[in-house]
Amino acid sequence: MDLTTRVLLGATALAVLGYISFVYGSCAGDPDCHFRTCGRHLCGVVYDHPPAL
């Protein structure tokens, strides 16, 4: 594997990990945010807003 391929694979891995940590990390601090599961797998996040009075 040459240097260009390694750099591109590393950049892709960092971008994916950064995106996942941004989405799921910001959800952890929000009380209206919950993780959605599909069976036993984590599918995404759901925002539950309290009903307006």
Side-chain angles (χ1 to χ4, degrees):
M1 200 181 316
D2 63 342
L3 182 62
T4 305
T5 305
R6 288 182 186 197
V7 169
L8 289 175
L9 284 173
T12 302
L14 284 176
V16 169
L17 289 175
Y19 173 76
I20 290 172
S21 65
F22 175 74
V23 171
Y24 294 114
S26 62
C27 183
D30 188 359
D32 293 334
C33 182
H34 305 284
F35 296 114
R36 182 179 66 175
T37 58
C38 298
R40 296 187 307 167
H41 301 287
L42 184 64
C43 293
V45 294
V46 177
Y47 289 97
D48 294 331
H49 298 289
L53 298 175

